[in-house]
Amino acid sequence: MLIAAVPAFAQRADAPPVPAAPPVEPGLDRDAETIAMRLGIAPAVALRQLRLQEASVPITDAVAARFADRLVGIAVEHVPAFRIVVRLTGTEPVATEQVELEGQRIDLVYVVGASVSHAAMVEAISTQQAAIRASLISPPGLGIDQRSGEIVAVVSRADVAREGQQALRDRLSVMTGVPVRLRVVEEPALDFGGQGEGVVGGMRMMGGVPGDPRRYVCTAGFVVTDGARRALATAAHCPDTLQVRDAAGIVEDLPFEGQWGWGNQDVQINLSPAPLAPFFAGDADRSILRPVTGARSRASIRAGDVVCHRGERTGYSCSLVELTDFAPAGDLCGGACLPTWTTVAGPACKGGDSGGPVFLGTVALGLVKGGSYRPDGSCAFYFYMSTDYLPAPWRLLTAESMAALPPDPATGDPALPRH
C-alpha cells in the first residue's frame, strides 16, 4: 500500500549522499541468522539487510533534518525487500529517491498526508500524560508508531471493558489531538528485576535487599568508564549490592557506586575489583564475547530496525523496534516515565533480564528496563534505555577509547576479557 501511495521516480538531483559501507562487524552474522528465522528469510539475505540497515543510518538522519518541520516517522522494512518509508505531514508530494548502498539500489519512499508531526506527538504525550493517567484505572504506556503516525496507548483490559474500545480510543485521540491506536496486554509494564539465587557485560548479577531473604537476578549491561575507573552498568531497580560468578565459579563482589532511576533513566553503576575490558556476551550461553566498537543514538533509531538483546533469564534474541518515544505504564520511573524509551517486539523477555545489553553486532544501543506480557504469559514487548542516558561522567568503554585510558588500577595493565 505504501508503494501505491507514491509514484516511482528516478533519483532526484538532491538525493542524500551515499556513505561508505561499513565492514561486517563481529557477531553480525549471528544476529542475521537469528533474525532470519523470525522474518522468514534466508540468513544471507538477512545479513545483507542488516548491513543495509546500518549503512542507511546517515541517510535517514539527513532526511530527518531535511524534513524536520514535516517529519512524522521513518520506518525500515525488511520484507518483501529492504526499503525505507518516510511519512510526512502536508499534501505536497515528495518523489521517491534511490541511493546505492552495498552495491544495491535502495528506495526511500515518501508518504504524505499525515495530520500531525513527530514533534507534535511527542509534545502530546508529554503534556497530556498526567491527564490520561488520571482518567484510567491503570496508567497506560504511551509511545509513537513511526510506521503509521499514531500514538499507541498500551492499556489494561479493565479500562477497555469499562469504556469500550472505540469510545476509549476516540476519547484519547481528542485529549491528545493526534491519532491514537489502542494495544491491550495482560501486564502493561513491569520492571524486569528477577528472583533466583572474568567479568563482562551480559553476565548474571545476583544480589539481595536488606530484610528480604530472597536472592534477585539481573543482567550486566556494558562496561563503562569515568575516565579513570571502569565499572559495569545495569538497571537501577536491581539490588544495590551485586555479585557475579565467573566461569571458574569464583564469586566477585561489585561495590555499589550510584544509581539513577527517574524519568528517562534506569541505570546503576557497580565497580569491579577485576580488570574490565569493553566486551559483552552476545549469545545465549555466554560462550562468545563481542567487543563494543561504538554506540547508536536514540534519535537515529527507526521503527523496523533490527536489534538484539541478551538477558540472563531468556538468553539471546533479535527482533524489530516497534515504538519510539515510549513512556512506560505505571510508576516505573519514580513516578511517570518520560517518552524517551524504545520498545522491541519480543520475542523473549522475562524477569532477570533487567540491565542486559541491547545491541546489534558490536554497536551498543541500550540497557533493558522492563516489558509487557500477553495473557498467555509470553513476551509482548520489552523496552530499553538508550546509552545516550548514561549518567555523566560515566560513558561507554569501547575498544578504541580503552587505548586512551590509564592502566587498570587493579592490575597495572590494560584489562583483558574474563568470563
Side-chain angles (χ1 to χ4, degrees):
M1 290 189 296
L2 294 178
I3 293 176
V6 179
F9 293 90
Q11 182 175 3
R12 291 176 45 153
D14 58 350
V18 180
V24 176
E25 297 186 12
L28 202 63
D29 53 348
R30 181 176 290 263
D31 297 342
E33 292 176 0
T34 304
I35 197 63
M37 293 186 289
R38 185 161 176 80
L39 296 178
I41 58 179
V45 174
L47 178 58
R48 183 163 65 249
Q49 292 197 2
L50 290 189
R51 294 194 61 172
L52 289 171
Q53 173 182 300
E54 296 308 283
S56 66
V57 171
I59 298 293
T60 54
D61 284 350
V63 167
R66 175 178 154 201
F67 292 101
D69 293 340
R70 299 181 60 187
L71 185 67
V72 177
I74 300 176
V76 173
E77 295 185 355
H78 298 271
V79 178
F82 186 91
R83 70 171 187 165
I84 297 169
V85 179
V86 182
R87 189 171 292 273
L88 302 172
T89 60
T91 58
E92 181 182 353
V94 179
T96 294
E97 298 171 342
Q98 289 189 329
V99 294
E100 186 169 330
L101 296 174
E102 298 277 315
Q104 183 174 339
R105 297 183 73 79
I106 303 303
D107 285 339
L108 275 75
V109 179
Y110 293 87
V111 180
V112 301
S115 59
V116 292
S117 68
H118 179 269
M121 287 189 284
V122 174
E123 179 69 14
I125 294 175
S126 300
T127 58
Q128 296 301 316
Q129 182 183 28
I132 292 172
R133 285 164 56 93
S135 73
L136 297 173
I137 299 171
S138 300
L142 299 168
I144 294 174
D145 188 344
Q146 296 197 35
R147 297 162 297 188
S148 62
E150 299 170 301
I151 287 179
V152 176
V154 184
V155 298
S156 70
R157 295 180 181 277
D159 279 302
V160 172
R162 181 184 68 169
E163 198 164 341
Q165 185 162 337
Q166 183 171 341
L168 176 57
R169 181 194 64 198
D170 292 346
R171 182 173 66 80
L172 296 184
S173 183
V174 170
M175 290 181 70
T176 58
V178 303
V180 172
R181 184 172 83 247
L182 301 184
R183 182 174 184 183
V184 182
V185 295
E186 187 72 10
E187 295 286 353
L190 295 172
D191 275 336
F192 279 158
Q195 298 180 23
E197 77 180 294
V199 180
V200 294
M203 290 186 71
R204 169 186 289 241
M205 307 177 85
M206 305 163 290
V209 177
D212 186 341
R214 294 172 294 181
R215 296 285 287 173
Y216 290 85
V217 172
C218 283
T219 307
F222 297 106
V223 176
V224 295
T225 180
D226 63 358
R229 299 172 296 172
R230 304 168 199 176
L232 282 169
T234 188
H237 63 270
C238 295
D240 293 353
T241 302
L242 291 167
Q243 297 176 322
V244 293
R245 181 182 290 111
D246 65 18
I250 299 174
V251 175
E252 297 183 355
D253 293 325
L254 302 176
F256 175 79
E257 175 65 16
Q259 62 182 202
W260 298 258
W262 303 95
N264 63 345
Q265 291 177 306
D266 188 349
V267 56
Q268 179 169 302
I269 304 297
N270 286 80
L271 303 175
S272 172
L276 295 178
F279 288 84
F280 66 96
D283 65 337
D285 58 7
R286 302 196 302 269
S287 62
I288 297 176
L289 300 184
R290 305 190 193 192
V292 176
T293 59
R296 186 166 157 198
S297 71
R298 186 178 78 88
S300 295
I301 297 296
R302 305 155 301 194
D305 274 338
V306 174
V307 304
C308 306
H309 94 285
R310 205 259 161 210
E312 184 56 33
R313 289 298 194 195
T314 60
Y316 157 77
S317 63
C318 299
S319 192
L320 304 179
V321 169
E322 287 192 322
L323 305 180
T324 60
D325 309 279
F326 180 68
D331 295 319
L332 300 185
C333 301
C337 296
L338 297 177
T340 57
W341 309 79
T342 302
T343 77
V344 181
C349 60
K350 198 173 182 181
D353 288 352
S354 279
V358 181
F359 56 90
L360 184 66
T362 59
V363 175
L365 301 176
L367 305 176
V368 172
K369 174 175 174 58
S372 293
Y373 299 112
R374 300 184 183 91
D376 63 2
S378 63
C379 175
F381 63 86
Y382 69 88
F383 48 94
Y384 71 87
M385 182 199 85
S386 170
T387 55
D388 291 353
Y389 300 118
L390 288 172
W394 296 97
R395 61 186 185 275
L396 279 174
L397 183 65
T398 66
E400 181 179 2
S401 65
M402 189 177 74
L405 292 179
D408 189 282
T411 63
D413 295 314
L416 298 175
R418 302 174 66 223
H419 66 101

